[in-house]
Structures are given as C-alpha cells and as structure tokens.
Amino acid sequence: MDGEDRYAVLQRLGDVQNLVLGLAAGAIEAAATQPLTYAKNCLQQRVAVSLNPRVVYRGTPASMLSDGSLIGTQFWACGVLQKWLVGDGYRELTFAEEVGSAYAAGFASGVPCSVFELCMIQQQRFGGHAAATLRSTVSGACGPLGLFRGFVPSSQREAFFAVGYLGLSPRIQRVCDGFDLWGTVRLRIR
C-alpha cells in the first residue's frame, strides 16, 4: 500500500465513504443478528419464542436503520477524528490516538442511539407509532431533554463497542501480523 498502514482504512476513505461503509456494516449486522435479538427480547419479556420467520424478522428494517445509523455515525466520526489527528498526509496513529478516536466516535453515536432506544422502549411498553411516541416524550415533564434520558449509558456502551472494533481490532491485527501466526497455513482456493 505504498507505505500506508493497511489498517488505517478510515484515514484513507472520504467522510461520505466512511459513513456509507458504517451504514452498510450496521444494516448487515442488524439483519444477521435479528433472530438472536428476537429470542433475547422474548426471553426478557417472558414471551414464547416463535420459529415463524414472519414473527422472528418483524421489525428488521427498523433495526437495520437504527444500527446502520449508529455504526455509520461511528465510522464517520472516527474517520474525521483520525484525519484531524494526523493532519495533512498520513502517519500511523499511536495506541492512545486510535483507541481515543474510537471511544469519542462511539460516545458521539450515543446521541441518536439514546433517541432510537427510548422510542423503541416506549413503543414496546405503550404501543403507538414512532412520531406519536416522540411527541409524547417531548411533551412530558422533561420536555425535549426527555429524549436523552438514556444518553450516558447508551454513549458509554457504544463507546466501548467502538473501541473494540475500531480501536483495538486493528492494533491486535498488527501485533498478530508481527508474529506471523499464519505462516505455516496455506490455503488455496480454486
């Protein structure tokens, strides 16, 4: 890669490319894990688990939009922060810079995350459409700030997720590459 670190993808891609990459990753993740999410929610609510795909995959588009938005925000923000840290050109980030930019990006994604999750929880409890749920939350005792009741825990959770896959994973891969762990394994796919 002409001296560029192959793990510094977010530095090399444009902001829109990072956003689209994150949107796609989040949407794919949500669709792939929907059966697990459905089963977890049924168990938490003490509701019988159905094997009917129409029931299991109910709400998948909303989950894809939510997760895509969150991970898109994380990829975009992490890329912006990494480019800001290195300025013009390219250099390998320090461990603190890589993990710190991932943490800050995850924390920032807590803004949409807290609103999405509050809406989902309120809809599960009281029913209704998203717009009506948001209206009733805003018109409550806390006003518009009521939308962010779960901001701190949501932001912390997303920050630690982002540190894992945007901060630590590239660093761990670099360490593993230094050990040549796969030097004896050669697979040929024809």
Side-chain angles (χ1 to χ4, degrees):
M1 295 212 144
D2 299 333
E4 288 187 1
D5 185 348
R6 70 182 176 120
Y7 308 105
V9 174
L10 299 178
Q11 287 181 51
R12 289 194 311 272
L13 295 178
D15 295 342
V16 172
Q17 291 173 311
N18 280 329
L19 179 64
V20 171
L21 179 64
L23 289 169
I28 292 166
E29 174 271 327
T33 61
Q34 178 63 26
L36 298 172
T37 303
Y38 164 76
K40 173 196 67 102
N41 290 340
C42 286
L43 293 172
Q44 285 177 333
Q45 298 170 20
R46 299 174 198 250
V47 175
V49 176
S50 171
L51 296 179
N52 180 344
R54 288 185 175 182
V55 175
V56 172
Y57 284 95
R58 187 182 298 152
T60 300
S63 291
M64 292 171 71
L65 177 64
S66 175
D67 287 3
S69 298
L70 297 177
I71 295 175
T73 300
Q74 292 168 2
F75 274 51
W76 171 79
C78 194
V80 166
L81 290 169
Q82 287 182 3
K83 289 176 205 169
W84 177 76
L85 287 168
V86 300
D88 292 335
Y90 166 81
R91 71 170 170 79
E92 184 176 332
L93 296 171
T94 66
F95 180 74
E97 289 171 333
E98 198 156 33
V99 170
S101 62
Y103 180 88
F107 191 85
S109 74
V111 173
C113 180
S114 61
V115 174
F116 290 149
E117 289 182 353
L118 175 68
C119 185
M120 177 193 66
I121 291 166
Q122 295 301 312
Q123 283 181 297
Q124 287 175 344
R125 288 183 64 204
F126 305 114
H129 296 291
T133 301
L134 292 172
R135 257 192 316 276
S136 70
T137 302
V138 169
S139 66
C142 296
L145 291 177
L147 293 172
F148 301 101
R149 283 187 279 191
F151 172 72
V152 172
S154 294
S155 291
Q156 290 298 323
R157 183 193 65 224
E158 293 302 318
F160 287 113
F161 283 160
V163 163
Y165 73 85
L166 292 173
L168 295 177
S169 292
R171 187 61 57 162
I172 292 168
Q173 182 66 42
R174 282 188 201 99
V175 170
C176 290
D177 282 352
F179 291 129
D180 192 28
L181 298 175
W182 301 104
T184 58
V185 177
R186 299 287 182 234
L187 298 177
R188 293 186 187 221
I189 300 173
R190 295 180 187 202

